[in-house]
Structure formats: C-alpha cells, structure tokens
Amino acid sequence: MSIFGAIGMAASLLVTMHVDTSATNVVNHVRPDRAIGTGVDSDPLGKIPYLYAPAQERTMLGTGLGALTYRLYTELSIQDWHWNPSGSYSDSAHRQGYWTSDATPAGSIVDSFGYRLPHRGSTRDQGDDDGYSRIDDGDPATYWKSNPYLAQPFTHESDAGHPQWMVVVFNNPTPLDALTIHWANPYATHFRVQYWSGSGDAILAQSQGEWRSFTHGDFHNGSAAAQTVSLESHPRVVKFVRVLMDSSSNTCDTHGGADRRNCVGYAVSELSAGTMTGAYMSDRIVHSRCGGDPQSTHCRNHQTVIFVSSIDPWHSATDRNRNGQDQPGLDVIARSRITHGLGVMYPVPLFYSTPDNAVAEIRYLRARKYPVSYIELGEEVDGQYAMPEDYASLYIQWARAIHRFDPTIRLGGPVFEGVNSDVAVWRNAHGDASWLHRFVEYLRAHGAISDLAFMSFEHYPFHNCDAGATLRRDLLREPSLIRNIMSTWRNDGLPAGLPLMITEANFSADGTGAPQRIDGALWTADYLAQALTSGAAYAMYYQIETEPLGKSRCSTWGAYNPYFVDSGYRVRGFGAAYHAARMLTIQWLAPGDDLQDIYGVRNSLGDDEPAVTAYVVKCPDFTWSVLIVNKDIVPREVALEFGSGGAIERFAQADVATFGSAQYHWDGNPKDPPSPDDGIVVSHQLLAGGRITVAPESLTVVRGALAP
C-alpha cells in the first residue's frame, strides 16, 4: 500500500487552501525571469559549440526558465580554472607558477580548461575523483603544500589564526604510537598530532566528537628533514589522525625564493604512521600514486585516504586536465540567447586560484560589456572541508581585490553543497560548530560583512536510488526541507534582508533520473514554488544543456537535464521536469519581468508533510494564480478560499492547466519514449463553490479573477 493509503482511501476528504489577501501575508516579491532560472556547467570536450547552437538554444529556452548561473566543476575537481586559455604564469620563463588569465578580449573564448595541482594533498575530490594525495604517493620528490594565501603575509593575522592540517583516515581502527613526517619546505616549527574522539566521522560528522592530542603530541622542534615522533608509550587504537600546524619556517620550496608565495605555509612530502618496535616502524599508511574511487577498475592498490585544509594553486602548463570535461567559454555563455539578455551569475575560482585571476575575469566581462548579475566566490567550499575562517579570509582578499577594480560588483557565497541541515564543523574554542555562523562572524569582525551581497547554497535533498515508500516520503518532505534550511541560514546570523539564492539544485547529487519521471515533476514544482514562498530571491533547476541520458549507480537511466537525449546528442523528447518547469514559468507565474506578489497559504492538511500543497501568486493583471501539487495516488477535492477580515472570495470560473500521471509516463527504458506523452492540458472550467478536483500525482494551476 502507498504511504498515502490512509489519505487515498478517504478521497472525499476535502482539502481547504485559505489565502489571506491582506498585504501582511505577502511573503515574497518576484520577477519571474529573474527568480526562477537554470544553470550550465562543464561539458564534454568538443561538444560546446554544438550544445549552444541555435537549435539547442531553442530547446533550452522552451523550459521557460530564466536567469542563468554558471557552475564551476574545476573547483570540485581540485583544479585551477584557466577561464581564458590565454594568460601568463608567475614564472613565465618556465611556464609554471601562479596563473592569471588574460583580461584583454581577443577573439572568442569557446572552451576553457582546468589544471590539476601538483601539490595536491587530498586523496578524494567531488569531481571525477581521479587524483591522488602527494602526502602518501610513495614519491619523495613530490609534496603537498598549503595555500599561501592563508599565511600571515596575506591574511595579516598570525599563522596560529589559520592553522593548516592534514587528516589521515584509516579504513579500520588502527593501533598507533608513532608518526614520521618527511617535511619539505616550508615546514612546521610547531605542530600537534591528534586523534579523533567521538561517535561520528571526523570528516563527515565534524560536530560529533573532538580532537584530542596524543600524550606526547605537541612538538616545537620541526625541521626540514624526516622527523619521527613518539606519541604514546603504548599504542592507541584510532581511526582518524590529524596533524595540526600553526607556525611556519617560511623557508622556500623547490620553486625558489623569487615569489614569496613559494616560501609560506607548510609542505610535506610523505607521511607514515603506525607502531614502533625499536627503530623500526610498522607503517599502517598505504603509499600509492593511485587515488580516486575505490571501486575503480583501473586502480588496484589504493593509498590511505588523506584530507587537507588547503592546497597551493601552483601548477604548470603540463598539468592541463584532459579527461574530457571542459568549461564553456565566457563568450559562448554571455552571447547565448539562454541568458534572456539578463545578467548572468558567474563564478570566480577561489580555493584553488588567485585574486589576480579573479580580478582579470571581472575586467574581461566588463571590457566585453556583458551583463553581470552576481559573482559567486568559489564553489562548495564545505565539500572541500575548508574551515569557515579560512574561506572567510580568502573571501575578503578576493572581495577587496575585485572591489578595488569595480565597487559595484555584487559578491556572495559560500555556495554550500546540497545539505538538509546546518553545515557542522569542528568546534572552535567557544564551542561553535556552525560553519555559516562562524563565517559571518569572521566577516563582521574584519569589517567585511558589506562585501557579502547574497548567501548562496545548493539543494540536492535525496538519493537517486530512492524508490517505493522512501521515494514517496521524499516527495512529502520536500517543502519542509526547503523551509527549514532557509530558516537555519537566517538563524546563523545573516544580515536581515540579505538575499538567499539557491544556485544549483536537482532531486539528487549522485546522478538522477528524476527529471524523466513523474515524481521528478512533482518534486520540481514543490521545490521551486516552496523556495519562493519561503523567501528565496532566486531558485534554479540544474541543468539545462542537452546532454545524453546516462546510467546511474542503481542501474536506472536518466539525466539532470529535463530531456530525452540519445548518445548522438539528438533531443528525442521532453521529460516530466520539462513540463513541470513550464507549469511554473508559463502557467503559474505570469511570464516576464513584471513584479508579482507571492502569498502564504493555510493548508487544512497542515504543514507537516501534506500530500497536497498549494502556492499562490497575485499576477500583474490582478488575477490570482494557484499551483496545486497532488502527490497522492487518488484524486483530491480542493477548496480555494481568499479573503481577510471575514470576507471570502472564490474562483467562479478559471483557466486550468494540468500535467500529471494521466498525461505522462515513462517506463525507464532509454529506448522507449514516454507513453502517454500529452504534455500540459489547458481548459476553462466553472468552479462550483471555488472547488476543483485535482488528478492523482499531478500539477494543477488555477488562474482567474475572484468573485464574492
């Protein structure tokens, strides 16, 4: 039986949606073209000109989705973004160093590329996950180095204010009493070795425990050599080990002293940890060049997983990523019709780049006279396990550099990855485990809160493999998840009135087929409409490019985009989410740029995961438009009531648009088209007593004038 069974059997149960029409019940003011949008991201090598050709633009424009955000896949992959392939390195003679793309327009940028970082310290990443850590790669000539912009010459704070770290993650609890660090330059003159004590994962559940120093884990005698330290008189069984460094030798690395960035921070070429027997260490760390996905068939021996606090963006011309994923050129995007002539929200690489490269990008966009709505600094820094104070320091450095060139640019972040609750981080000295609260407080303490023009986050609430009762529960939960997470961000101390923007979202981050299924349409409508009703200044659907269907880890077919695209990149049809987007952008909201008011709704089913939800907008022509999402498996009768102060008005007649399981079904076979595939059905109806019966698993928009 469906989890809606109890409701479904009582199909005659009336659902009442009451709308207080007084001005105090207006919960948001939106301009549809700017409030509901979409995004573009990395694309397969060689396909960018095709994906943004006129025919594909027409397909993308058909969704009705408006303002565009540009997503930055290189940040997820621990790469620096050469947004303009033309540019220069700080060590130009050797084509290496810190990169700055050319700010002077010349020709047209079609493709842009990511460059891997040879001083990478993290084993895993959130992109293609095909890199590896130099801390345990078994090669004494390579080394991890921390980001120089987090050192005192750039932060203008003590290095102790931005301690850098490396965390070793053992597969199983492991006995440990000693550690050997093969330092490179610069090395730590003071460091602590700690173990994780808590019920949660030290990386994935950072508030559910604490770091404790080993009995002999505090060291003031770091040196530029292999250093073996005794931590305990008897082995301690641990799963997570952290080396925390807070004082640097400021000695120069292998790239020399001509650039001060080579001479600050911390560098480690190899790390061993285990138990000592006399002078011999039984090393429990696996040293290998092979990182990436443990399930990968092309890697047999895997290095022990290590995460680091930051990574030096130094690289060379030979480090270009050639795995087939490139970022579309700024000129291709800015000149595309899918921008609707509106300003685009562009990304600036931050965690793996430099302020000079950021400013050059803004100079380029301004020189081209491209409209710019906002600039996001970085991408998913919580997924890179950045400390809030570290990101905040980089944010300030980048913001001040950009604003020296153009004070009018509106900047924001931190672009949280999709989470359903507050982002937790290791507690500070005050016990504060809220990432966003600490970020905001850092900006305030440094007089930089005015540099935050908006707060952005992503929304990927569920798992692609969810099915049956779990999937049904997902659909019920979606509106409350959006309400709660936006309330959480506000409670973390954001300035009053600061816009909240959802700049990347889909049903699931782990690959998804939801956009091709009817449940994806129900989710899309609930998510976008609830986001605006909860006060979001912008909410988007990811993604818009016409890329082919793929097979997920749970063997289902689908794509993030809302189409059916074959392996030859031909669009064969439209998925359920395509029609859901049109229901919102063309049927529910009045299309265009006119200001419209969104009102709160009192639902007789309550707010606790109701099977039927409704969202209300007052259109510029003073008609009212109601979006009804029925997630039940049976029809439901809905009474729509409007008024304040006791007077009630209702629809006597209205234009009604419907899309649901009666109009659309896909069996999941990539070779089969949807059947039926009737699209949105529009009619004009008389509504006796302001009531309408909505079909099972459907979206319904009722629009018209009210009568007493």
Side-chain angles (χ1 to χ4, degrees), residues 324-347:
Q325 286 290 324
D326 292 338
Q327 297 284 148
L330 295 179
D331 293 305
V332 169
I333 299 303
R335 295 170 181 172
S336 173
R337 292 170 56 211
I338 64 174
T339 68
H340 300 272
L342 302 171
V344 175
M345 178 184 288
Y346 292 101

Side-chain angles (χ1 to χ4, degrees), residues 513-565:
Q516 286 71 40
R517 305 189 305 257
I518 197 66
D519 45 90
L522 302 176
W523 174 84
T524 298
D526 249 344
Y527 146 61
L528 288 171
Q530 183 62 61
L532 298 187
T533 301
S534 297
Y538 173 81
M540 66 87 78
Y541 172 93
Y542 175 88
Q543 74 191 97
I544 197 68
E545 301 103 300
T546 56
E547 295 186 8
L549 296 179
K551 197 172 187 179
S552 75
R553 67 184 64 183
C554 48
S555 298
T556 59
W557 285 87
Y560 289 106
N561 64 58
Y563 323 111
F564 288 91
V565 183

Side-chain angles (χ1 to χ4, degrees), residues 30-37 64 66-67 585 589-596:
V30 301
R31 298 184 186 275
D33 284 353
R34 302 172 192 268
I36 296 184
T585 61
L589 296 169
D593 203 36
D594 291 331
L595 195 64
Q596 300 169 41

Side-chain angles (χ1 to χ4, degrees), residues 117-150:
L117 305 182
H119 298 316
R120 170 174 170 151
S122 291
T123 303
R124 308 299 304 271
D125 65 61
Q126 295 186 309
D128 289 334
D129 200 19
D130 57 359
Y132 62 94
S133 172
R134 274 47 171 190
I135 297 172
D136 56 347
D137 65 349
D139 185 350
T142 65
Y143 55 91
W144 161 67
K145 185 169 174 287
S146 64
N147 191 326
Y149 290 97
L150 293 172

Side-chain angles (χ1 to χ4, degrees), residues 73 75-78 124-130 323 384:
Y73 192 70
E75 289 266 302
L76 308 187
S77 305
I78 310 183
R124 308 299 304 271
D125 65 61
Q126 295 186 309
D128 289 334
D129 200 19
D130 57 359
N323 69 356
Q384 318 305 322

